Amino acid sequence: MGKAELPLHAPGTRVDKGYIGQSVPRPNAKRLLQGRGAFVDDLRFPRLAHVAFFRSPHAHARIKRLDFGNALKSAGVIDVFDGRAVAEYCTPWVGVLAHLKGIKSPPQHAIAIERACWQGEAVAAVVAESRTQAEDAVDLIDADWEELPAVLDMDEALSGRCVIHPELGDNICFKREHDTGGVDEAFAKADLVVEETYRFGRHTGVCLEGRSILADYNAAEHTLTVHHSTQAPHMMQDVFSRHLGIPEANVRVIARDVGGSFGIKVHVYPDEMATAALSVMLRRPVKFVADRLESFLTDIHAREHKVTIRLACSKDGEILAFDLDDLSAIGPYSVYPRTSGIEGNQVVNLTGGPYKHQKYRAKLNVVFTNKNVTCQYRAVGHPIAVALTEGIVDLAAQNLKMDPAEFRRRNLIPDDAYPYTFPSGVKFEKLSHHQCLDQLLGLMNYASLRKEQADLRGRNIFRGIGLAAMIEVTNPSPAFYGVGGARISAQDGATLRLEPTGMVTVMCSVTEQGQGTEGIFAQIAASAVGVSMDKVRVITGDTGVTPYGGGTWASRGAGIGGEAVLLAGRALLSNILDVASKVLNLEKETLDIENNAIVDKLTQEKKMPLEELGRITYFRPDILPLDFQAELTVTRHYTPREYAFTFTNGIQASLVEVDTDTGFVKLLKHWCVEDSGTVINPMLVDEQLRGGVAEGIGAALYEECLYSPEGQLLNGNMADYVVPMSGEIPDIVCAHIETPTRQSQLGAKGVGEAGTAGAPGAVMNAINDALAPLGARVTAMPFTPERILRALGRIA
Amino acid sequence: MEHALDITLTVNGTPVSRRVEARQHLVDFLREELGLTGSHVGCEHGVCGACTVRVDGEIVRGCLMLAVQANGCKVDTIEGLSDSKEVGELQRAFHERNSLQCGFCTPGMLMAARDLQLKNPAASREQIRAHLSGNYCRCTGYQAIVDAIEEVLHGKS
């Protein structure tokens, strides 16, 4: 029987039947607004024990003796363990990946054995009936230490005069060199060569909710259920299984509400592994919540770099080559399983990224030091690459007396040049630098701002305008981690189920940390199936429930998880129409779903509500044909594979005023034009950009983990480590260019890290633009009043 | 229990009596003894504002006040203000403008916003920003929060 071929959409029918592109509020925000979320520390368990850690007071020291006698006698104490005791239940790990050639790191234990390598490393665990009692007992542990020489300076570490891990031979964790060839020739023939050294202060994520874990081992079943404030439940399921010796199927990781993550909560932390091991050892639930002081000492830090960059260009302002030398320090261990080599590697991959030069040389050294470990924090490497590139580009423009916007226009990769391979080897599918630049300059009214700036300078008011163009890694393929041997999924999955009531349940492996993942999945599912959003429920963050997947990192949730939801939604639509076709005795091709009902595709005439279809399918399948089985649960997966990364692009601008008497910088306004492909929810995208910009501003102006020469963290509390508050952050204007990726049906690229990637460079350039008439320049972040006054020669 | 004292206070309109350790913070008392987990513990040194609650009409840091100091007081938390709908307009505006992401700071932020609404309903945008300067949000960049409060105070949308 030949079925009639109907047009996909008859003239006059509505093509867009949904929510994609609409600023729909997030349904799951309501519980958070009432304080009725479920963060790990909100959970209540019978027989719950609490752990507190005795941490090294020294940056590098041998543990000569640990005496638990008094601690064991303290009220409420259940037991006290050292590293050897925990190591019997939890094997050590090594943070290396095969595709980062030559990367090395020593084995790391959950609790340090024999030696502590940074101030704050856990060397004993006290388990008690309450956290208060555990902390009381920690104070009663008696320890003898033999202090060892601490390596704290990056250059000192590189010199190898004192080697932290003698078995490794030197302090170099990872090094990389990249050379297109022809760089020396390009510099030799250049009309202008500019060179500058930039320093980036080590800083950290400061999630408002500290790292939190509640591990619940069931000895009868040999199962471990872990309630975890994490971005990657399936990765952690594998890690707990592997290192605790519990079959993977017996490990369930649940991440409900997560109080901020920003990359901080995607790593394996020794104290969290110890907590899981303690639950196994004691056969009862054990909880650890990092307090704020522990968070500063042990949450991963990031971005300690010193980079010298050179740029060669012609007198017309054509960039010919970049030459880069990056030195970065990561603490005493490469963090498992993502490694601490990725950040520097990204600096090499991304520096110079928006521009069309063909010659590029880069050298990277990543060294061990006796400070806290560093690893991937929001925008990994991008803020450094962008600031370097945009800083040296502005310096070149200044030397040529060329407007920085015009200098960029001459050098940005043309919008019709794609697909394009950048000299570092990364490939761009399609970017829109020139559209973004044009939109930005219009949005900020660039020309009149320049005029206002010149007028104000006459009155000794020093305003600056800074631009920062950028590229950004999103939607990573297995090339990011999987090819290096990490058991980190680049694939995500979504299961959609039509319930008997006509509701649609979505279960997806991408997790929610507040960015709105569950909200956009509801939008996509509702649009794909043809139901209203109030008919959709979304479940994420439970390895026992959702399909397998990578979770939330590298701006991948919307582009990868969202595509899986879209594909599953379309499959569910098709399966529902199969049932409808049998029930109504009509050809499937004539049917569709609109507004929670089966309708005639052409006339939109309502044929049957979905709840009636659900009722028949689940409770009266006896009336369906014998040779037909309804399938109202479907699962689909998606992995981007055509490109290693789906690059996005954007450009930011900052307007600042520098007080040359006090050195204070006032941020007046910030603009961000971003191309993240299909925009699913403009409000959520803007809020990702704004939140990201705020974190980037923190890096540029306020945030730095300061260590004493002995390796003591000097400002490890919220009063002394300054983050932007409501009075500091300016209004941030956002706009979008939409260049959907052709790799997926949805076309979405990532956006979570763009703000953080570009803001530090834009703010730095704005400050230097303000200081230019005074002959001053700053290149060491954060740009504190002290550093600005020193640059101005106001203080020595 | 050493250094324990008996206290009686009114929490969200309900009288409660407990014997508490003298050193227990008010926010720990609310969370651990009463199960009111909406007030969050972000820093325990009075900087972040996530534990903001209202005691006898004034907003305080639940981590800087001891439970025994609240003896005889009237304490309001986000759960109480939600059920009484006292912060209903603010919650609606926060929801519509996505003035929260992870939601960890949000109960404290709403407490501060409600305090401003009661004390300075004509507050300017700059005054709103100043009033929130003790409440730390790492996710939003604050703009949407300021927008939502401004909308509720001035009826703008």
Side-chain angles (χ1 to χ4, degrees):
Chain A
M1 185 185 82
K3 291 186 178 175
E5 287 291 323
L6 292 170
L8 191 60
H9 298 288
T13 54
R14 194 157 55 94
V15 175
D16 170 25
K17 57 178 180 181
Y19 297 89
I20 293 172
Q22 293 186 24
S23 291
V24 185
R26 293 188 287 144
N28 65 356
K30 284 187 174 172
R31 66 170 183 266
L32 301 169
L33 282 159
Q34 294 198 10
R36 288 177 164 120
F39 298 96
V40 170
D41 200 28
D42 299 340
L43 306 176
R44 297 292 176 264
F45 278 68
R47 281 191 87 235
L48 179 64
H50 301 256
V51 58
F53 293 96
F54 177 68
R55 297 180 181 279
S56 172
H58 303 295
H60 196 193
R62 191 171 312 288
I63 308 163
K64 289 171 69 181
R65 185 180 65 92
L66 286 173
D67 183 346
F68 300 152
N70 290 329
L72 282 163
K73 283 183 256 173
S74 189
V77 168
I78 296 163
D79 214 335
V80 184
F81 300 98
D82 66 5
R84 280 200 175 77
V86 173
E88 294 196 13
Y89 290 81
C90 182
T91 57
W93 52 84
V94 179
V96 297
L97 287 170
H99 65 313
L100 301 179
K101 289 188 178 52
I103 189 169
K104 58 186 193 269
S105 186
Q108 185 177 14
H109 284 273
I111 307 262
I113 295 173
E114 290 186 357
R115 187 173 66 127
C117 290
W118 84 90
Q119 181 217 5
E121 183 172 11
V123 294
V126 177
V127 187
E129 300 288 345
S130 75
R131 171 73 183 229
T132 312
Q133 291 171 324
E135 288 182 11
D136 287 345
V138 164
D139 289 343
L140 300 174
I141 290 177
D142 195 17
D144 284 343
W145 299 91
E146 177 196 345
E147 282 193 66
L148 301 170
V151 180
L152 299 155
D153 176 76
M154 287 194 284
D155 288 297
E156 180 64 22
L158 186 62
S159 78
R161 278 187 284 269
C162 177
V163 177
I164 297 170
H165 305 292
E167 70 277 20
L168 298 182
D170 57 30
N171 290 319
I172 298 170
C173 168
F174 175 58
K175 56 186 190 181
R176 179 180 168 194
E177 292 190 4
H178 179 83
D179 193 350
T180 58
V183 172
D184 288 332
E185 294 79 357
F187 274 87
K189 76 172 186 189
D191 298 314
L192 174 71
V193 171
V194 281
E195 173 179 331
E196 202 158 49
T197 296
Y198 297 86
R199 290 167 194 272
F200 298 85
R202 153 188 281 258
H203 52 278
T204 185
V206 200
C207 309
L208 202 44
E209 179 210 35
R211 291 185 290 107
S212 310
I213 181 168
L214 192 164
D216 186 9
Y217 177 68
N218 185 318
E221 297 178 322
H222 191 41
T223 55
L224 181 72
T225 304
V226 184
H227 300 267
H228 197 188
S229 184
T230 181
Q231 302 170 226
H234 283 102
M235 181 193 91
M236 289 310 303
Q237 178 192 30
D238 176 79
V239 168
F240 290 129
S241 163
R242 196 164 292 277
H243 292 282
L244 298 174
I246 299 171
E248 190 184 51
N250 289 12
V251 179
R252 179 179 178 189
V253 178
I254 301 171
R256 293 182 70 187
D257 290 315
V258 174
S261 52
F262 320 117
I264 302 302
K265 294 174 179 170
V266 76
H267 310 294
V268 171
Y269 287 92
D271 47 20
E272 296 178 14
M273 294 302 289
T275 304
L278 291 166
S279 177
V280 177
M281 295 162 77
L282 296 168
R283 301 175 171 233
R284 63 192 288 180
V286 179
K287 179 167 77 172
F288 168 65
V289 177
D291 71 22
R292 188 52 55 189
L293 306 184
E294 291 180 296
S295 299
F296 278 108
L297 286 170
T298 61
D299 284 9
I300 59 110
H301 294 176
R303 324 229 213 276
E304 184 177 359
H305 288 248
K306 184 181 83 173
V307 197
T308 299
I309 185 167
R310 295 196 303 147
L311 178 154
C313 70
S314 73
K315 60 181 182 303
D316 302 327
E318 182 194 356
I319 301 173
L320 305 172
F322 284 94
D323 187 11
L324 175 78
D325 186 349
D326 182 10
L327 175 59
S328 174
I330 57 153
Y333 295 98
S334 170
V335 173
Y336 185 65
R338 286 159 196 267
T339 84
S340 305
I342 294 285
E343 185 181 87
N345 202 49
Q346 292 286 55
V347 173
V348 172
N349 284 341
L350 304 173
T351 296
Y355 301 112
K356 61 186 180 192
H357 60 283
Q358 290 298 309
K359 308 298 178 198
Y360 178 45
R361 183 166 61 197
K363 188 168 97 176
L364 167 70
N365 278 294
V366 177
V367 296
F368 295 114
T369 50
N370 292 110
K371 298 181 188 174
N372 180 24
V373 294
T374 76
C375 202
Q376 281 79 297
Y377 162 50
R378 193 177 194 170
V380 195
H382 293 69
I384 294 155
V386 173
L388 291 174
T389 305
E390 296 302 276
I392 202 74
V393 157
D394 261 19
L395 188 60
Q398 190 184 340
N399 273 272
L400 293 172
K401 297 187 171 33
M402 191 180 288
D403 180 89
E406 176 57 26
F407 187 86
R408 282 173 176 77
R409 191 188 305 284
R410 291 187 186 189
N411 286 288
L412 289 168
I413 299 167
D415 288 357
D416 60 1
Y418 300 94
Y420 187 93
T421 301
F422 182 70
S424 75
V426 297
K427 293 182 174 61
F428 306 136
E429 180 194 6
K430 180 125 177 66
L431 303 178
S432 57
H433 288 297
H434 287 268
Q435 283 184 78
C436 285
L437 175 65
D438 289 345
Q439 177 141 352
L440 177 83
L441 298 179
L443 193 65
M444 65 192 287
N445 215 340
Y446 183 77
S448 65
L449 276 183
R450 284 286 178 206
K451 183 175 179 308
E452 180 187 60
Q453 178 189 34
D455 293 345
L456 289 170
R457 273 179 189 169
R459 292 157 42 197
N460 278 336
I461 293 171
F462 294 92
R463 287 199 177 170
I465 299 161
L467 304 178
M470 61 188 190
I471 56 167
E472 191 207 345
V473 166
T474 79
N475 297 6
S477 77
F480 209 173
Y481 293 111
V483 297
R487 297 174 70 85
I488 295 171
S489 175
Q491 173 175 284
D492 275 277
T495 296
L496 264 64
R497 180 171 71 223
L498 184 76
E499 307 290 352
T501 54
M503 300 283 295
V504 174
T505 301
V506 178
M507 289 160 280
C508 185
S509 52
V510 174
T511 53
E512 169 76 275
Q513 273 88 52
Q515 67 275 56
T517 309
E518 292 182 356
I520 63 160
F521 290 170
Q523 288 179 255
I524 295 166
S527 306
V529 178
V531 299
S532 52
M533 259 184 80
D534 61 312
K535 300 288 184 195
V536 181
R537 292 287 175 275
V538 181
I539 298 169
T540 63
D542 187 341
T543 61
V545 174
T546 71
Y548 200 93
T552 299
W553 42 274
S555 299
R556 63 190 298 285
I560 300 177
E563 179 72 2
V565 173
L566 179 68
L567 297 176
R570 288 184 177 168
L572 179 61
L573 168 68
S574 174
N575 288 8
I576 292 171
L577 295 182
D578 282 334
V579 180
S581 161
K582 301 295 181 195
V583 174
L584 298 166
N585 201 22
L586 292 168
E587 285 187 24
K588 180 183 175 183
E589 286 68 22
T590 67
L591 300 172
D592 199 1
I593 302 176
E594 275 291 343
N595 199 20
N596 312 312
I598 307 295
V599 298
D600 182 284
K601 197 177 225 167
L602 280 178
T603 65
Q604 298 291 297
E605 180 199 348
K606 191 170 163 180
K607 297 287 187 188
M608 181 170 55
L610 273 183
E611 57 184 301
E612 174 63 6
L613 183 139
R615 184 190 70 79
I616 291 168
T617 305
Y618 289 104
F619 308 126
R620 291 302 309 277
D622 54 302
I623 66 169
L624 295 172
L626 266 182
D627 62 351
F628 176 77
Q629 173 61 51
E631 294 291 352
L632 297 188
T633 300
V634 297
T635 300
R636 291 292 182 274
H637 293 87
Y638 177 67
T639 321
R641 286 181 292 182
E642 192 178 340
Y643 287 82
F645 308 101
T646 305
F647 274 92
T648 63
N649 66 285
I651 186 164
Q652 296 186 26
S654 169
L655 175 67
V656 307
E657 188 171 304
V658 179
D659 183 326
T660 54
D661 292 324
T662 65
F664 275 92
V665 174
K666 183 165 180 54
L667 300 163
L668 299 173
K669 208 159 185 176
H670 200 98
W671 296 265
C672 181
V673 178
E674 181 68 16
D675 186 344
S676 52
T678 303
V679 173
I680 300 161
N681 184 320
M683 175 169 70
L684 297 187
V685 169
D686 285 357
E687 288 305 301
Q688 282 300 298
L689 290 172
R690 290 196 177 101
V693 166
E695 284 192 324
I697 285 171
L701 294 181
Y702 311 113
E703 299 182 38
E704 184 169 17
C705 300
L706 298 166
Y707 279 84
S708 76
E710 297 78 30
Q712 298 287 314
L713 183 60
L714 296 171
N715 61 340
N717 63 74
M718 270 197 185
D720 295 326
Y721 181 99
V722 183
V723 300
M725 302 297 282
S726 55
E728 278 96 43
I729 298 292
D731 283 346
I732 298 160
V733 181
C734 302
H736 306 280
I737 300 292
E738 288 191 60
T739 308
T741 172
R742 299 282 175 199
Q743 298 171 78
S744 70
Q745 306 279 313
L746 186 61
K749 306 174 186 175
V751 75
E753 300 170 282
T756 311
V763 171
M764 176 177 77
N765 282 350
I767 294 170
N768 284 328
D769 187 45
L771 297 178
L774 302 165
R777 203 168 155 81
V778 286
T779 54
M781 290 189 197
F783 303 115
T784 59
E786 182 188 348
R787 283 175 172 161
I788 288 171
L789 290 177
R790 191 166 289 142
L792 286 165
R794 298 289 178 93
I795 57 173
Chain B
M1 197 186 285
E2 278 184 83
H3 310 300
L5 293 109
D6 292 312
I7 60 169
T8 297
L9 62 163
T10 303
V11 179
N12 296 330
T14 304
V16 292
S17 295
R18 289 287 191 283
R19 188 167 180 80
V20 297
E21 278 193 77
R23 65 176 173 174
Q24 186 170 47
H25 292 133
L26 177 59
V27 67
D28 289 337
F29 171 75
L30 294 168
R31 291 178 54 84
E32 304 303 327
E33 304 296 328
L34 304 185
L36 293 168
T37 54
S39 306
H40 297 141
V41 178
C43 72
E44 296 179 273
H45 50 270
V47 180
C48 80
C51 63
T52 304
V53 294
R54 200 165 66 187
V55 177
D56 288 343
E58 294 293 329
I59 53 171
V60 302
R61 304 294 165 118
C63 72
L64 292 185
M65 184 172 185
L66 298 169
V68 293
Q69 291 177 293
N71 188 28
C73 294
K74 186 174 170 298
V75 177
D76 295 301
T77 71
I78 186 65
E79 290 92 343
L81 298 198
S82 297
D83 289 345
S84 71
K85 302 197 166 37
E86 187 183 331
V87 289
E89 266 299 282
L90 285 163
Q91 286 168 328
R92 178 199 55 74
F94 270 55
H95 187 229
E96 286 179 1
R97 292 178 176 276
N98 203 53
S99 310
L100 70 159
Q101 287 180 30
C102 81
F104 200 82
C105 75
T106 309
M109 200 65 83
L110 286 166
M111 282 282 168
R114 176 61 181 158
D115 186 61
L116 181 68
Q117 193 185 10
L118 289 170
K119 293 183 175 153
N120 184 11
S124 68
R125 198 169 171 85
E126 287 65 36
Q127 287 171 320
I128 294 170
R129 283 193 179 272
H131 193 78
L132 299 179
S133 65
N135 289 78
Y136 181 122
C137 170
R138 191 61 158 173
C139 296
T140 63
Y142 302 101
Q143 186 171 337
I145 296 171
V146 175
D147 288 347
I149 296 171
E150 194 177 29
E151 177 197 323
V152 170
L153 294 188
H154 305 308
K156 286 183 194 167
S157 58

